[in-house]
Amino acid sequence: MALAVEASEHPFQDLIEILKSEKNEDKKFFSPQKLNDPRYESLPFSIRVLLEAAIRKCDGFYVKKEDVLNILNWRQQQNNAEVPFSPARILLQDFTGIPALVDFAAMRDAVMKLGGDPYQVNPLCPTDLIVDHSLQIDFSKCAIQNAPNPGGGEKQGSAAKSSPAKSQPRSSQCGGHGGCKGSCSDEPSTDTPGRAAVQIENSPILCPFHLQPVSEPETALKSQDAEFNRNKERLQFFKWCSKVFKNVTVIPPETGVVHQVNLEYLSHIVRDDGGFLYPDSVVGTDSHTTMVNGLGILGWGVGGIESEAVMLGQPVSLTLPQVVGCKLVGSISTLATSIDIVLGITKHLRQAGVAGKFVEFFGPGVSQLSAGDRTTIANMCPEYSATVSFFPVDDVTLKHLKQTNFDEEKLDIIEAYLKAVKLFRSYKNPSEDPEYSQVIEINLSSIIPHVSGPKRPQDRVAVTDTKKDFQKCLKEKIGFKGFHIPAEKQNEVIPFMHKGTEYKLAHGSVVIAAVISCTNNCNPSVMLTAGLLAKKAVEAGLIVQPYIRTSLSPGSGMVTHYISASGVLPYLSQLGFEVTGYGCETCVGNTAPLPEAVVDAIKQGDLVACGVLSGNRNFEGRLCDCVRANYLASPPLVVAYAIAGTVSIDFETEPLGVDSKGRAMYLRDIWPTRDELQQAEEQTVIPSMFSQLKDRIEKENKRWNSLEAPESVLFPWDPKSTYIRCPSFFHKLTKEPVCPQSIENAHVLLFLGDVVTTDHISPAGSIARVSAAAKYLISKRLTPREFNSYGARRGNDAVMTRGTFASIKLLNRFIGKTAPKTVHIPSGQTLDVYEAADRYQREGIQLIILAGKKYGSGNSRDWAAKGPYLLGVKAVIAESFEKMHKNHLVGIGIAPLQFLPGENADTLGLSGKEKYSLTIPEDLAPQHELTVKTSTGKTFKVLALFENEMDIAFFKHGGILKYVARNILLQQSP
């Protein structure tokens, strides 16, 4: 729906400007600079995005002029003023998305019943839903079995001893050369001159010998089939939504995880809505939504109910945040990888205490970070508890976009618009630095690479100190680090014969070197660094000794894809780092036996031999019982130590070896520069990866494409379905709101103490066999094995209502112990919470909840408000509320009432077994004091925690869902 910004009633009509274009039609945009206020250019860039959204969305109801002025006056109003934020789009994953879309489907029914046009019921904000949370591992088997000889430094015949997993290939077969047993075609691809191109499918598995696609392994096919069968109803519903709702895009299963798809496919940087430009921004139901901050897109994670509210047209409410400026200075250390930088910055920010604040990066050091580095730092935002980690758009961002299928025309518009509204910057120009609440300076040169070892992952050692530390460990008593080697034995050297050649082993000699792409080492840059280092090493004539057990275990076929596409895989292979399979191998002890001569030499000299791996576990003896010292290192350092043949080396002063001309070669001579690395990423890897993702989404998902779904304007609810059910939020909806209903002789459903969290309230996890939800599912002829989880059944309000307050950790003062139970006061019976609430409703008795401090704390959960509403709860009276949950209660139609300061249920002498009455006046106002009367004659005051007229409107309508439904009907009235 195009923005109606030209209407004369828009309060900031005068701020509209025209962006001239020689190639395209002119674009329009709001220019905050036309406010002619010098404070604008001193605002942090992230706050400028908030300001633009407030100007553009100012309607006098959700967003007022006062909000715009408060944001403009950020310096004085930070941590004080509440302001609205209307994001450009919503990001949902399937578990949190299904209840929201079910509500919209139910709203269509309600509007139709009242004579309205159901076609008009659509999300008001563009919504992207990624189906990525429904896959379970029903079947498990390595796609390619671990080889008895996974590669080693010696090339001859090593591949022949590896074998892929047995499966029934469905595509062309490999000729079986070099050990491949017929899973691929050994014809080389010629798609890209000069290197082998690899076709990556939905479950990308490549033949490790020929780098050609193999058919999906049996386990992946079975798990994906089980996913579609188990979740068929939900998937059909999602597909119906994608067909009938405007503003809804569904990304099907088997595509990718939500934050990656958001980054690689959905992000626009600048949005064009009917010729009107504005910054891309997003709130999502995934904590790592912040990943897009690295591209200059403002966004963060929210709960399901906040996202649904935005879909309904309501902005996100937030306290105007403090903005911490993180100034990056200095030059990145030569040996520091992207992961070193990310973890180093994360550590600094965690120590600085930035919880709940915006972090914005500036300073000359930012220019050294690639777009991938920035998005990875932003992705770590939850680890240091900031709300956002924002990198304003610069030339590096535009260069990245150019490689990700943004055409020149669009890039020109993006750059011109961002410069026009002062949202584009040069990090090397300090005159563009805004004001911040505080500044943290991080010197990038202080971030140096580390290894962990020799026995535990938590024992980190700077690479520059590794030799000295290892020699110290030899002397120390046996313990977490020490080996207690006698002084006279510390320089022991043992010669041995291997394949007819004599070699020597000493303390610190490397005998296992494993490049593993798992955990944080899956970042493309670190694997590419390893590959580029291998390339330079081979070109210089350096080798890995053949007795060292080397291996390369990518975390997925995609890792093999990008190190192959960049042309570095043959060099890794030449050093002995052959692809051995896709699974946990070396770090779980699945290492092929060392050559007998090596084992004998280690035993003869009682040597502390070493393993070096880029995994996550290195406990003594884990890799091999004769290898006592194990170090965790980045992939390129694994290659470096393998070439050196020892961890007892100072890379600064000692050479790795000699080149073909006999010259000493140091690590610095073959370590890739950041320019070389970024060039490989931007020109080869990133375009290929983005292209593959686009194809998977738009073309290659055969199961999704063949899935049948209805196309009717109203969803055809299946009364037999236990996954999708029309919720009762619109039960008895009228065209006009009724006066707020007073509470008369209500009983207390639950009498709760302090810090009742949303985990106590909201259904989560597996469905217990003795629960009310289980009884319901059994009545539908389901067996316990078919229950699935509450998350999977979030589209069925009957299940979710029964799961509300079903936590075994719920402490109800009526019961006196933790249990999902309560007392039905009229009868005195102890029942499941749902069963008691159901009986009260059948008896026509209203319900309230009594609670202590911090009611509703914890993570935002939509059913923590929806569930109590459907149980019949009219009000919650508590000492205090978690702010977000209080807003959720208002949004669903439950009154949040707070005891006056110094009062609570105990000080007032309440047992919870009284009846409670409360008159809600027609002139209800924010922060209204109301009087509660009990059946025992006690009276006390409570504060109605409505913050503004919008809260009052929602409550009077019975919640935002009914408010929006009536608004749609009102707009259709003649």
Side-chain angles (χ1 to χ4, degrees), residues 654-704:
E654 298 177 60
L656 292 173
V658 295
D659 65 10
S660 55
K661 296 181 180 179
R663 293 175 300 191
M665 296 296 295
Y666 293 85
L667 181 57
R668 58 180 173 269
D669 297 325
I670 63 170
W671 193 274
T673 66
R674 290 191 65 79
D675 285 344
E676 290 172 329
L677 175 62
Q678 290 178 9
Q679 183 178 2
E681 282 186 276
E682 296 288 347
Q683 294 185 2
T684 306
V685 179
I686 290 174
S688 177
M689 291 173 68
F690 277 68
S691 175
Q692 294 289 347
L693 177 65
K694 190 172 187 290
D695 286 346
R696 288 205 304 275
I697 291 174
E698 298 177 358
K699 300 176 184 177
E700 295 181 0
N701 202 305
K702 295 178 182 178
R703 291 182 184 84
W704 176 261

Side-chain angles (χ1 to χ4, degrees), residues 824-901:
H824 178 255
I825 294 171
S827 67
Q829 284 184 279
T830 298
L831 302 170
D832 286 335
V833 174
Y834 170 79
E835 291 170 349
D838 183 56
R839 185 180 293 189
Y840 280 125
Q841 290 199 52
R842 285 188 278 109
E843 294 168 347
I845 297 173
Q846 294 178 314
L847 295 172
I848 65 168
I849 290 172
L850 292 180
K853 300 182 182 74
K854 298 182 180 178
Y855 179 80
S857 56
N859 292 332
S860 170
R861 301 190 186 280
D862 53 346
W863 276 97
K866 289 179 173 180
Y869 176 84
L870 293 179
L871 288 174
V873 174
K874 302 298 181 184
V876 177
I877 305 176
E879 285 186 72
S880 64
F881 292 83
E882 197 279 330
K883 178 184 172 183
M884 191 64 72
H885 183 65
K886 182 266 296 180
N887 292 341
H888 295 173
L889 294 176
V890 172
I892 204 64
I894 295 175
L897 308 175
Q898 185 170 286
F899 290 110
L900 296 185

